[in-house]
Amino acid sequence: MLSCKHIVDLGTDYLDQELGFWKKTEMKMHLMICRHCRRYMKQLKQTIAMLSRWQLKQPTQEQLEQLKSKYQQTVSEG
Amino acid sequence: METQPLPSEKELVARLKNNDVALFDQVVKEYHSSMYAVAYAIAGSSIADEVVQEAWISAINAIHKFEGRSALKSWLIRITANEAKSRLRKESRSVSLEAVNENWATDTRFTQRGHWAEGNPEWDMSSPDELLSADELKDCLKKHIDRLPDNQQQILNLRDIGGLDMETICNILQITASNARVLLHRGRDKVQQVIAKFQRTGEC
């Protein structure tokens, strides 16, 4: 039987569909009866969604201006 | 911060080819962060900025040839990864799976039998917008992500922040897909734990 700790450990494999049939089935059954692990899986998805939206680093004004003038110049020349 | 969503891919590309500077400005702001994450992970912090600028310039020079067979963002990320790879950092990069397994053995969230020691409560803040609106939490996450082992940090940057696909990541880092998933999961799990603790205690 998979423990909660195992379930937590397999989170990414489960989401990426990388588990074999039996592991996946075991995990599904565990998630049906364990709300803590269900929450963990929900939170893992929320974590990933947050990371993908996180604007960690914005361009500086100087970088932006440099790129814009390069863009204008290049694209208008065709 | 720009909140206006970008137009559809087709319109986006057509307008970019047609000298739409305002839209270009928006595109740079929207995708810069992901490109930076990829450049940082592959080439290191000292030249990441330079790599991203170079990648944008390559993209500008090639935009008229872009046919839209992939999403614009994927195209930009690929250009960034290539640019970064050509200037790959030289430091050694061993995959420290041993440390990873050691941490696993002593994870205090679980009892010896592997049950949740104190359960796992629901989060009050859960949407990306809610989570990203808490500056204190973001500072806390940055601190913890910085402290992750090199490999975990790289994969988190490449996959989740940069949006690069796993196959490309494995090629860049020269590791197997299963090792990559282990490292990625440890990084994600750490981020989950930091958010969970912050929501429970209000502390970093």
Side-chain angles (χ1 to χ4, degrees), chain B residues 116-176:
Chain B
W116 289 94
E118 291 169 29
N120 181 33
E122 199 87 58
W123 286 355
D124 296 328
M125 300 183 282
S126 57
S127 74
D129 285 336
E130 280 176 297
L131 291 168
L132 291 170
S133 67
D135 286 335
E136 249 180 289
L137 173 61
K138 279 195 288 187
D139 289 343
C140 176
L141 284 170
K142 268 187 220 163
K143 199 172 81 189
H144 282 281
I145 291 174
D146 268 345
R147 282 191 205 145
L148 283 175
D150 213 23
N151 273 288
Q152 291 181 37
Q153 202 186 115
Q154 276 177 314
I155 296 196
L156 208 60
N157 271 312
L158 293 170
R159 178 80 194 108
D160 285 344
I161 302 176
L164 211 61
D165 64 274
M166 280 300 247
E167 200 187 328
T168 309
I169 293 172
C170 292
N171 280 333
I172 293 170
L173 299 181
Q174 305 267 300
I175 56 178
T176 65

Side-chain angles (χ1 to χ4, degrees), chain B:
Chain B
M1 200 166 170
E2 296 282 339
T3 45
Q4 203 188 347
L6 291 170
S8 71
E9 277 289 317
K10 215 173 154 188
E11 190 191 332
L12 179 65
V13 174
R15 280 169 59 187
L16 281 180
K17 287 181 182 180
N18 206 17
N19 209 0
D20 188 332
V21 186
L23 184 65
F24 178 75
D25 179 271
Q26 203 186 336
V27 167
V28 174
K29 286 176 183 158
E30 182 83 19
Y31 296 144
H32 190 87
S33 184
S34 297
M35 290 165 71
Y36 184 86
V38 168
Y40 174 87
I42 300 172
S45 63
S46 60
I47 58 166
D49 266 317
E50 229 175 285
V51 167
V52 174
Q53 276 314 83
E54 286 302 316
W56 277 116
I57 289 168
S58 304
I60 291 169
N61 286 330
I63 186 74
H64 65 281
K65 284 186 289 190
F66 179 65
E67 287 173 348
R69 256 178 269 154
S70 62
L72 181 69
K73 183 180 176 185
S74 321
W75 184 65
L76 289 169
I77 292 293
R78 241 186 357 257
I79 293 175
T80 312
N82 286 334
E83 197 71 48
K85 267 190 290 184
S86 69
R87 311 182 53 170
L88 199 61
R89 61 171 156 182
K90 305 243 160 29
E91 299 125 71
S92 72
R93 233 183 295 166
S94 57
V95 182
S96 56
L97 283 172
E98 270 167 46
V100 156
N101 290 329
E102 209 166 291
N103 281 338
W104 194 72
T106 56
D107 193 333
T108 54
R109 286 176 293 173
F110 302 99
T111 63
Q112 286 222 298
R113 304 186 58 187
H115 298 301
W116 289 94
E118 291 169 29
N120 181 33
E122 199 87 58
W123 286 355
D124 296 328
M125 300 183 282
S126 57
S127 74
D129 285 336
E130 280 176 297
L131 291 168
L132 291 170
S133 67
D135 286 335
E136 249 180 289
L137 173 61
K138 279 195 288 187
D139 289 343
C140 176
L141 284 170
K142 268 187 220 163
K143 199 172 81 189
H144 282 281
I145 291 174
D146 268 345
R147 282 191 205 145
L148 283 175
D150 213 23
N151 273 288
Q152 291 181 37
Q153 202 186 115
Q154 276 177 314
I155 296 196
L156 208 60
N157 271 312
L158 293 170
R159 178 80 194 108
D160 285 344
I161 302 176
L164 211 61
D165 64 274
M166 280 300 247
E167 200 187 328
T168 309
I169 293 172
C170 292
N171 280 333
I172 293 170
L173 299 181
Q174 305 267 300
I175 56 178
T176 65
S178 68
N179 281 356
R181 278 200 310 277
V182 169
L183 293 166
L184 174 64
H185 185 65
R186 290 308 146 101
R188 288 172 168 177
D189 185 44
K190 182 68 200 179
V191 176
Q192 188 276 347
Q193 288 182 57
V194 172
I195 299 173
K197 184 184 171 200
F198 185 84
Q199 303 222 19
R200 214 172 48 238
T201 64
E203 280 167 19
C204 183

Side-chain angles (χ1 to χ4, degrees), chain A residues 21-50:
Chain A
F21 176 77
W22 291 112
K23 264 272 165 65
K24 194 170 83 189
T25 307
E26 251 188 289
M27 185 144 170
K28 272 190 182 155
M29 303 227 320
H30 183 116
L31 289 175
M32 262 196 292
I33 55 167
C34 177
R35 70 197 155 106
H36 301 294
C37 287
R38 251 192 335 266
R39 277 186 203 142
Y40 178 84
M41 288 306 296
K42 196 167 89 184
Q43 292 161 355
L44 187 64
K45 283 190 221 162
Q46 288 161 347
T47 300
I48 297 165
M50 182 213 67

